[in-house]
Amino acid sequence: MTHPCGQPPHPPRATWQHGGVTAATHSSLFPQVPESADAVLEGLDPEQREVAIALHGPVCVLAGAGTGKTRAITHRIAYGVRAGILPPASVLAVTFTNRAAGEMRGRLRQLGVAGVQARTFHSAALRQLQYFWPKAVGGELPRLLERKIQLVAEAAARCRIRLDRNELRDVTGEIEWAKVTQTVPGDYPAAVAKSLRDAPRDPAEISQVYGMYEQLKRDRSVIDFEDVLLLTVGILQDRHDIAEHVRRQYQHFVVDEYQDVSPLQQRLLDLWLGDRESLCVVGDASQTIYSFTGATPDHLLNFRTRHPGATVVKLVRDYRSTPQVVHLANGLLGQARGRAAEHRLELISQRDPGPEPAYGEYADEPAEAEGTARRIRELIAAGVPAGEIAVLYRINAQSEVYEQALADAGVPYQLRGAERFFERQEVREAGIALRGAARAGGNDALLDDVEDLPAQVRAVLSTKGWTTEPPAGSGAVRDRWESLAALVRLAEDFVRARPQATLADLVAELDERAAAQHAPTVQGVTLASLHSAKGLEWDAVFLVGLTEGMMPITYAKTDEQVEEERRLLYVGVTRARLHLSLSWALSRAPGGRASRRPTRFLNGIRPGSAAAGPRAAGGGGGVEHGAGRRKRRGPVLCRVCSKTLTDAGEMKLMRCEDCPSDMDEALYERLREWRSVQAKELGQPAYCVFTDKTLMAIAEAVPGNETELAGISGVGGRKLDRFGADVLAICAGEEPGEGDEDD
């Protein structure tokens, strides 16, 4: 049958039960505008439909990754407007990024709705501040400071506190955190101590700089980004007439990504609402990954306590990812601990089955990057567009080896959320210093008595902030060190390939690499940190560098910090629609000792791994293998590959020499230092205390009591009596005692 004009007739609209639900994260660029309010509801699944028709009273939508939360809330607004229940000018939808606000406006337009305000918190507050400032304060609104870092630098100078460029960035971040958590300068040190936050400088010094910065702003009549919210809150609190004006204008509120709301944003939202409850919030506590900026899931988790009569809808049908990807994501959260984990959502994939997630273990980082690039080329050859592929890592400094591997493989790429490696300020400065040293040759005193090329590079870069040990904590100082360390590793790799290379040769190589990596950004593979990947998705995702110390990051000390790292990995996993690859390298450089171990978050999930025990779930322990450490009478099997062990050293470790180690390397080094002291006191060789293999076995098992320690080969009754208390103390992160001198 054809239409009179020769066109086929419109097919009947499919209902949800008949397959009418489209992928929540995919939509046509030019969809047909629904003909009526009821038509807006067509194609929604039962839970999304429940959100859309819940137009009265407080509503809390708990929406898992890929479940169509934006679809649900935009259809809710559109249905309310099209049904005549929500006047469009009375609705304010707020989210956290301009991109998300723009997407929301675009979807509302496609649903035939105009006049609804969809903005970020700051954009909405700034409009109100500009409008009400003359009435509330008088005169023009102070100028908005676009970049506060220069004023922070001046404040530090006035306090006679010297900050380098990286410290300036970190201190500026601390000031921003203090303001969004409504912490005044004098209270900053106490707030840092209470939150267990790692401050980049002495908190008293930062408090001083913060106070001077605020004074300079007042003197010059300027405000910063955070002041926009603070001043709007102040006006709405002090001027009830203005608050009522705003409440008459906006009567219905929708807040997306509610788990990322800061205390200051929540205060502003409360003032917008007044005593009304026409509020719909959407969020997922399992995707809280920005606590370092002041975000907290507490407002989401406490919503039903604050609003006892709230309608609560859970979206768990995942339209983005295959059952295989969803199974892995659920497994990650299944091991989580803490309050957010108690409210986790069990996702149910709505897609056809796909390939199993791939796990890749490599000898070293370059091999991991090359293997990733090779697999990406295979996917592109199979028809996956380069723009639908992403490589995600924990910190930006990891990008360089992947930039190089993709460039070598002829694969276009684009960096998101970071400068290209060779465009970073510290890398450019390092290049200038290396070029100067190469020109000076033997006339550079810095290179006196330094013979090999890597040592020359380390000597030069030590003037730029490189040290043999990484700086403590996170932030710009650590990022800068990681960039310089990548150059040191590059020099080490370069001299392995060309043993006779000079510093001038290395400089030429760096120039060539910088030029070669200017790959096209159109339809390129995305290289991004896990944080900057939030809210995005790809057909294929490669999660790389998944080793202890990087995931969780080494400066995640508390249980809460470790759990946030787990959630960060969960966000990475749920970015993948079809193909998912997880990989790690056992050593940093080719030929290095294979001492690294895969992230604890994959224990019990990746093939061949044991389930995470109580110690692995916490912040500082290793993996507990339980029965795998008991002495057995039958054949001794490798706990990784199940092969029968015959070598005494392998039997002691309960694994093949070539199988991956899950040893706590820091614990192993502490045990070695302790053993050295004991051997010196006893006047015996170190192996008479414990052999290296026994120490490795202890560092892998991390025994928590005498029974577990006694179960390790090489720890007999006499040694247990003599050294047991010390070893258990070290394993628990405590200082060992003096030992029994009479033994």
mmCIF file of all heavy atoms in Angstrom, residues 422-459:
data_model
loop_
_atom_site.group_PDB
_atom_site.id
_atom_site.type_symbol
_atom_site.label_atom_id
_atom_site.label_comp_id
_atom_site.label_asym_id
_atom_site.label_seq_id
_atom_site.Cartn_x
_atom_site.Cartn_y
_atom_site.Cartn_z
ATOM 1 N N PHE A 422 53.563 17.182 23.918
ATOM 2 C CA PHE A 422 54.679 18.065 23.579
ATOM 3 C C PHE A 422 54.292 19.545 23.592
ATOM 4 O O PHE A 422 55.134 20.402 23.346
ATOM 5 C CB PHE A 422 55.271 17.671 22.224
ATOM 6 C CG PHE A 422 56.091 16.419 22.289
ATOM 7 C CD1 PHE A 422 55.587 15.217 21.836
ATOM 8 C CD2 PHE A 422 57.359 16.423 22.840
ATOM 9 C CE1 PHE A 422 56.326 14.055 21.918
ATOM 10 C CE2 PHE A 422 58.119 15.267 22.927
ATOM 11 C CZ PHE A 422 57.593 14.082 22.466
ATOM 12 N N GLU A 423 53.012 19.836 23.882
ATOM 13 C CA GLU A 423 52.590 21.226 24.005
ATOM 14 C C GLU A 423 52.460 21.655 25.466
ATOM 15 O O GLU A 423 52.158 22.811 25.744
ATOM 16 C CB GLU A 423 51.256 21.433 23.274
ATOM 17 C CG GLU A 423 51.386 21.268 21.760
ATOM 18 C CD GLU A 423 50.046 21.340 21.056
ATOM 19 O OE1 GLU A 423 49.029 21.581 21.745
ATOM 20 O OE2 GLU A 423 50.012 21.155 19.838
ATOM 21 N N ARG A 424 52.677 20.723 26.384
ATOM 22 C CA ARG A 424 52.596 21.077 27.800
ATOM 23 C C ARG A 424 53.756 21.995 28.162
ATOM 24 O O ARG A 424 54.872 21.837 27.683
ATOM 25 C CB ARG A 424 52.633 19.809 28.663
ATOM 26 C CG ARG A 424 51.427 18.916 28.443
ATOM 27 C CD ARG A 424 51.567 17.598 29.165
ATOM 28 N NE ARG A 424 50.506 16.681 28.736
ATOM 29 C CZ ARG A 424 50.516 15.374 28.940
ATOM 30 N NH1 ARG A 424 51.521 14.814 29.598
ATOM 31 N NH2 ARG A 424 49.529 14.615 28.511
ATOM 32 N N GLN A 425 53.474 22.928 29.045
ATOM 33 C CA GLN A 425 54.461 23.938 29.405
ATOM 34 C C GLN A 425 55.747 23.310 29.934
ATOM 35 O O GLN A 425 56.849 23.670 29.522
ATOM 36 C CB GLN A 425 53.871 24.890 30.457
ATOM 37 C CG GLN A 425 54.808 25.999 30.921
ATOM 38 C CD GLN A 425 55.071 27.028 29.833
ATOM 39 O OE1 GLN A 425 54.251 27.192 28.938
ATOM 40 N NE2 GLN A 425 56.198 27.707 29.906
ATOM 41 N N GLU A 426 55.609 22.335 30.829
ATOM 42 C CA GLU A 426 56.806 21.738 31.415
ATOM 43 C C GLU A 426 57.614 20.958 30.380
ATOM 44 O O GLU A 426 58.848 20.899 30.454
ATOM 45 C CB GLU A 426 56.439 20.822 32.592
ATOM 46 C CG GLU A 426 55.553 19.653 32.250
ATOM 47 C CD GLU A 426 54.078 19.960 32.418
ATOM 48 O OE1 GLU A 426 53.713 21.150 32.363
ATOM 49 O OE2 GLU A 426 53.303 19.010 32.600
ATOM 50 N N VAL A 427 56.930 20.374 29.384
ATOM 51 C CA VAL A 427 57.635 19.627 28.339
ATOM 52 C C VAL A 427 58.376 20.591 27.419
ATOM 53 O O VAL A 427 59.510 20.332 27.009
ATOM 54 C CB VAL A 427 56.654 18.733 27.553
ATOM 55 C CG1 VAL A 427 57.355 18.042 26.384
ATOM 56 C CG2 VAL A 427 56.034 17.684 28.487
ATOM 57 N N ARG A 428 57.744 21.716 27.111
ATOM 58 C CA ARG A 428 58.429 22.725 26.279
ATOM 59 C C ARG A 428 59.659 23.267 27.006
ATOM 60 O O ARG A 428 60.733 23.430 26.409
ATOM 61 C CB ARG A 428 57.464 23.870 25.929
ATOM 62 C CG ARG A 428 56.362 23.464 24.972
ATOM 63 C CD ARG A 428 55.772 24.667 24.252
ATOM 64 N NE ARG A 428 55.241 25.655 25.181
ATOM 65 C CZ ARG A 428 53.962 25.684 25.560
ATOM 66 N NH1 ARG A 428 53.116 24.783 25.104
ATOM 67 N NH2 ARG A 428 53.538 26.609 26.394
ATOM 68 N N GLU A 429 59.492 23.559 28.306
ATOM 69 C CA GLU A 429 60.631 24.066 29.087
ATOM 70 C C GLU A 429 61.751 23.028 29.152
ATOM 71 O O GLU A 429 62.933 23.370 29.038
ATOM 72 C CB GLU A 429 60.169 24.429 30.502
ATOM 73 C CG GLU A 429 59.240 25.636 30.561
ATOM 74 C CD GLU A 429 58.709 25.869 31.961
ATOM 75 O OE1 GLU A 429 59.024 25.054 32.867
ATOM 76 O OE2 GLU A 429 57.974 26.860 32.168
ATOM 77 N N ALA A 430 61.372 21.768 29.314
ATOM 78 C CA ALA A 430 62.382 20.707 29.358
ATOM 79 C C ALA A 430 63.110 20.594 28.030
ATOM 80 O O ALA A 430 64.335 20.401 27.986
ATOM 81 C CB ALA A 430 61.720 19.377 29.712
ATOM 82 N N GLY A 431 62.375 20.747 26.934
ATOM 83 C CA GLY A 431 62.997 20.688 25.610
ATOM 84 C C GLY A 431 64.015 21.793 25.413
ATOM 85 O O GLY A 431 65.102 21.566 24.853
ATOM 86 N N ILE A 432 63.682 22.990 25.887
ATOM 87 C CA ILE A 432 64.618 24.120 25.774
ATOM 88 C C ILE A 432 65.884 23.838 26.583
ATOM 89 O O ILE A 432 67.006 24.079 26.127
ATOM 90 C CB ILE A 432 63.933 25.419 26.254
ATOM 91 C CG1 ILE A 432 62.804 25.805 25.283
ATOM 92 C CG2 ILE A 432 64.953 26.547 26.385
ATOM 93 C CD1 ILE A 432 61.928 26.935 25.796
ATOM 94 N N ALA A 433 65.699 23.316 27.801
ATOM 95 C CA ALA A 433 66.852 23.025 28.658
ATOM 96 C C ALA A 433 67.737 21.938 28.048
ATOM 97 O O ALA A 433 68.970 22.038 28.058
ATOM 98 C CB ALA A 433 66.377 22.604 30.043
ATOM 99 N N LEU A 434 67.124 20.894 27.505
ATOM 100 C CA LEU A 434 67.897 19.817 26.885
ATOM 101 C C LEU A 434 68.623 20.311 25.636
ATOM 102 O O LEU A 434 69.776 19.929 25.380
ATOM 103 C CB LEU A 434 66.967 18.648 26.525
ATOM 104 C CG LEU A 434 66.393 17.861 27.710
ATOM 105 C CD1 LEU A 434 65.308 16.893 27.239
ATOM 106 C CD2 LEU A 434 67.493 17.094 28.437
ATOM 107 N N ARG A 435 67.963 21.164 24.876
ATOM 108 C CA ARG A 435 68.599 21.711 23.668
ATOM 109 C C ARG A 435 69.810 22.569 24.046
ATOM 110 O O ARG A 435 70.866 22.492 23.410
ATOM 111 C CB ARG A 435 67.577 22.533 22.872
ATOM 112 C CG ARG A 435 68.076 22.977 21.501
ATOM 113 C CD ARG A 435 66.965 23.582 20.671
ATOM 114 N NE ARG A 435 66.000 22.570 20.261
ATOM 115 C CZ ARG A 435 64.790 22.413 20.774
ATOM 116 N NH1 ARG A 435 64.372 23.231 21.736
ATOM 117 N NH2 ARG A 435 63.984 21.465 20.348
ATOM 118 N N GLY A 436 69.676 23.367 25.108
ATOM 119 C CA GLY A 436 70.792 24.189 25.564
ATOM 120 C C GLY A 436 71.960 23.347 26.047
ATOM 121 O O GLY A 436 73.126 23.638 25.743
ATOM 122 N N ALA A 437 71.634 22.277 26.783
ATOM 123 C CA ALA A 437 72.699 21.398 27.271
ATOM 124 C C ALA A 437 73.391 20.682 26.120
ATOM 125 O O ALA A 437 74.614 20.479 26.137
ATOM 126 C CB ALA A 437 72.120 20.379 28.248
ATOM 127 N N ALA A 438 72.626 20.313 25.085
ATOM 128 C CA ALA A 438 73.220 19.639 23.923
ATOM 129 C C ALA A 438 74.169 20.566 23.184
ATOM 130 O O ALA A 438 75.237 20.148 22.713
ATOM 131 C CB ALA A 438 72.116 19.147 22.990
ATOM 132 N N ARG A 439 73.781 21.857 23.087
ATOM 133 C CA ARG A 439 74.652 22.823 22.397
ATOM 134 C C ARG A 439 75.932 23.048 23.193
ATOM 135 O O ARG A 439 77.021 23.168 22.636
ATOM 136 C CB ARG A 439 73.922 24.161 22.228
ATOM 137 C CG ARG A 439 72.838 24.144 21.164
ATOM 138 C CD ARG A 439 72.530 25.560 20.693
ATOM 139 N NE ARG A 439 71.307 25.603 19.921
ATOM 140 C CZ ARG A 439 70.129 25.997 20.384
ATOM 141 N NH1 ARG A 439 70.023 26.375 21.649
ATOM 142 N NH2 ARG A 439 69.058 26.012 19.610
ATOM 143 N N ALA A 440 75.789 23.135 24.525
ATOM 144 C CA ALA A 440 76.960 23.412 25.362
ATOM 145 C C ALA A 440 77.939 22.251 25.362
ATOM 146 O O ALA A 440 79.152 22.429 25.502
ATOM 147 C CB ALA A 440 76.520 23.724 26.791
ATOM 148 N N GLY A 441 77.399 21.025 25.200
ATOM 149 C CA GLY A 441 78.263 19.855 25.162
ATOM 150 C C GLY A 441 79.070 19.719 26.441
ATOM 151 O O GLY A 441 78.555 19.784 27.551
ATOM 152 N N GLY A 442 80.411 19.563 26.296
ATOM 153 C CA GLY A 442 81.279 19.373 27.449
ATOM 154 C C GLY A 442 81.500 20.615 28.273
ATOM 155 O O GLY A 442 82.149 20.560 29.320
ATOM 156 N N ASN A 443 80.960 21.753 27.817
ATOM 157 C CA ASN A 443 81.149 23.000 28.562
ATOM 158 C C ASN A 443 80.060 23.248 29.599
ATOM 159 O O ASN A 443 80.042 24.299 30.233
ATOM 160 C CB ASN A 443 81.192 24.187 27.584
ATOM 161 C CG ASN A 443 82.376 24.095 26.640
ATOM 162 O OD1 ASN A 443 83.456 23.672 27.057
ATOM 163 N ND2 ASN A 443 82.176 24.480 25.388
ATOM 164 N N ASP A 444 79.119 22.313 29.725
ATOM 165 C CA ASP A 444 78.041 22.470 30.703
ATOM 166 C C ASP A 444 78.463 21.788 32.000
ATOM 167 O O ASP A 444 78.593 20.565 32.064
ATOM 168 C CB ASP A 444 76.749 21.851 30.169
ATOM 169 C CG ASP A 444 75.539 22.216 31.020
ATOM 170 O OD1 ASP A 444 75.731 22.508 32.212
ATOM 171 O OD2 ASP A 444 74.415 22.207 30.488
ATOM 172 N N ALA A 445 78.655 22.593 33.053
ATOM 173 C CA ALA A 445 79.120 22.041 34.334
ATOM 174 C C ALA A 445 78.127 21.042 34.908
ATOM 175 O O ALA A 445 78.503 20.145 35.672
ATOM 176 C CB ALA A 445 79.351 23.178 35.332
ATOM 177 N N LEU A 446 76.856 21.182 34.524
ATOM 178 C CA LEU A 446 75.826 20.295 35.024
ATOM 179 C C LEU A 446 76.095 18.843 34.612
ATOM 180 O O LEU A 446 75.707 17.907 35.305
ATOM 181 C CB LEU A 446 74.449 20.745 34.491
ATOM 182 C CG LEU A 446 73.207 20.095 35.089
ATOM 183 C CD1 LEU A 446 73.066 20.464 36.555
ATOM 184 C CD2 LEU A 446 71.967 20.531 34.320
ATOM 185 N N LEU A 447 76.785 18.685 33.473
ATOM 186 C CA LEU A 447 77.013 17.347 32.938
ATOM 187 C C LEU A 447 78.402 16.811 33.250
ATOM 188 O O LEU A 447 78.799 15.769 32.721
ATOM 189 C CB LEU A 447 76.781 17.350 31.419
ATOM 190 C CG LEU A 447 75.390 17.823 30.963
ATOM 191 C CD1 LEU A 447 75.255 17.723 29.464
ATOM 192 C CD2 LEU A 447 74.292 17.030 31.651
ATOM 193 N N ASP A 448 79.156 17.525 34.078
ATOM 194 C CA ASP A 448 80.469 17.016 34.484
ATOM 195 C C ASP A 448 80.298 15.671 35.190
ATOM 196 O O ASP A 448 79.415 15.504 36.046
ATOM 197 C CB ASP A 448 81.164 18.005 35.439
ATOM 198 C CG ASP A 448 81.657 19.242 34.699
ATOM 199 O OD1 ASP A 448 81.638 19.217 33.454
ATOM 200 O OD2 ASP A 448 82.037 20.220 35.367
ATOM 201 N N ASP A 449 81.147 14.724 34.848
ATOM 202 C CA ASP A 449 81.162 13.397 35.469
ATOM 203 C C ASP A 449 79.885 12.595 35.210
ATOM 204 O O ASP A 449 79.620 11.602 35.881
ATOM 205 C CB ASP A 449 81.388 13.495 36.994
ATOM 206 C CG ASP A 449 82.681 14.228 37.320
ATOM 207 O OD1 ASP A 449 83.667 14.026 36.583
ATOM 208 O OD2 ASP A 449 82.687 15.003 38.297
ATOM 209 N N VAL A 450 79.072 13.057 34.247
ATOM 210 C CA VAL A 450 77.871 12.314 33.878
ATOM 211 C C VAL A 450 78.109 11.732 32.494
ATOM 212 O O VAL A 450 78.289 12.474 31.534
ATOM 213 C CB VAL A 450 76.611 13.219 33.871
ATOM 214 C CG1 VAL A 450 75.392 12.415 33.446
ATOM 215 C CG2 VAL A 450 76.395 13.832 35.249
ATOM 216 N N GLU A 451 78.119 10.417 32.390
ATOM 217 C CA GLU A 451 78.547 9.796 31.144
ATOM 218 C C GLU A 451 77.395 9.373 30.240
ATOM 219 O O GLU A 451 77.298 9.815 29.097
ATOM 220 C CB GLU A 451 79.432 8.576 31.461
ATOM 221 C CG GLU A 451 80.743 8.967 32.158
ATOM 222 C CD GLU A 451 81.615 7.761 32.430
ATOM 223 O OE1 GLU A 451 81.191 6.635 32.073
ATOM 224 O OE2 GLU A 451 82.710 7.942 32.993
ATOM 225 N N ASP A 452 76.494 8.507 30.722
ATOM 226 C CA ASP A 452 75.489 7.972 29.802
ATOM 227 C C ASP A 452 74.360 8.967 29.569
ATOM 228 O O ASP A 452 74.120 9.885 30.367
ATOM 229 C CB ASP A 452 74.941 6.638 30.316
ATOM 230 C CG ASP A 452 74.157 6.797 31.599
ATOM 231 O OD1 ASP A 452 74.633 7.504 32.503
ATOM 232 O OD2 ASP A 452 73.057 6.229 31.702
ATOM 233 N N LEU A 453 73.634 8.772 28.465
ATOM 234 C CA LEU A 453 72.598 9.703 28.042
ATOM 235 C C LEU A 453 71.458 9.841 29.057
ATOM 236 O O LEU A 453 71.066 10.966 29.396
ATOM 237 C CB LEU A 453 72.058 9.282 26.668
ATOM 238 C CG LEU A 453 70.900 10.116 26.102
ATOM 239 C CD1 LEU A 453 71.303 11.578 25.976
ATOM 240 C CD2 LEU A 453 70.458 9.562 24.750
ATOM 241 N N PRO A 454 70.890 8.744 29.572
ATOM 242 C CA PRO A 454 69.807 8.913 30.557
ATOM 243 C C PRO A 454 70.240 9.728 31.774
ATOM 244 O O PRO A 454 69.461 10.536 32.291
ATOM 245 C CB PRO A 454 69.454 7.471 30.939
ATOM 246 C CG PRO A 454 69.848 6.660 29.753
ATOM 247 C CD PRO A 454 71.079 7.322 29.226
ATOM 248 N N ALA A 455 71.490 9.526 32.231
ATOM 249 C CA ALA A 455 71.975 10.291 33.381
ATOM 250 C C ALA A 455 72.072 11.773 33.037
ATOM 251 O O ALA A 455 71.795 12.640 33.878
ATOM 252 C CB ALA A 455 73.336 9.759 33.833
ATOM 253 N N GLN A 456 72.476 12.085 31.802
ATOM 254 C CA GLN A 456 72.529 13.485 31.372
ATOM 255 C C GLN A 456 71.132 14.111 31.394
ATOM 256 O O GLN A 456 70.941 15.234 31.868
ATOM 257 C CB GLN A 456 73.124 13.575 29.958
ATOM 258 C CG GLN A 456 74.595 13.213 29.872
ATOM 259 C CD GLN A 456 75.101 13.212 28.443
ATOM 260 O OE1 GLN A 456 74.318 13.198 27.496
ATOM 261 N NE2 GLN A 456 76.415 13.221 28.279
ATOM 262 N N VAL A 457 70.170 13.357 30.877
ATOM 263 C CA VAL A 457 68.794 13.873 30.860
ATOM 264 C C VAL A 457 68.275 14.082 32.278
ATOM 265 O O VAL A 457 67.651 15.107 32.589
ATOM 266 C CB VAL A 457 67.877 12.902 30.073
ATOM 267 C CG1 VAL A 457 66.400 13.308 30.204
ATOM 268 C CG2 VAL A 457 68.293 12.858 28.612
ATOM 269 N N ARG A 458 68.540 13.118 33.155
ATOM 270 C CA ARG A 458 68.092 13.264 34.550
ATOM 271 C C ARG A 458 68.741 14.488 35.200
ATOM 272 O O ARG A 458 68.088 15.218 35.960
ATOM 273 C CB ARG A 458 68.406 11.993 35.342
ATOM 274 C CG ARG A 458 67.517 10.814 34.990
ATOM 275 C CD ARG A 458 67.688 9.661 35.972
ATOM 276 N NE ARG A 458 68.951 8.974 35.782
ATOM 277 C CZ ARG A 458 69.110 7.896 35.014
ATOM 278 N NH1 ARG A 458 68.071 7.399 34.369
ATOM 279 N NH2 ARG A 458 70.293 7.313 34.899
ATOM 280 N N ALA A 459 70.019 14.732 34.899
ATOM 281 C CA ALA A 459 70.711 15.888 35.478
ATOM 282 C C ALA A 459 70.088 17.189 34.999
ATOM 283 O O ALA A 459 69.862 18.117 35.783
ATOM 284 C CB ALA A 459 72.197 15.830 35.116
#
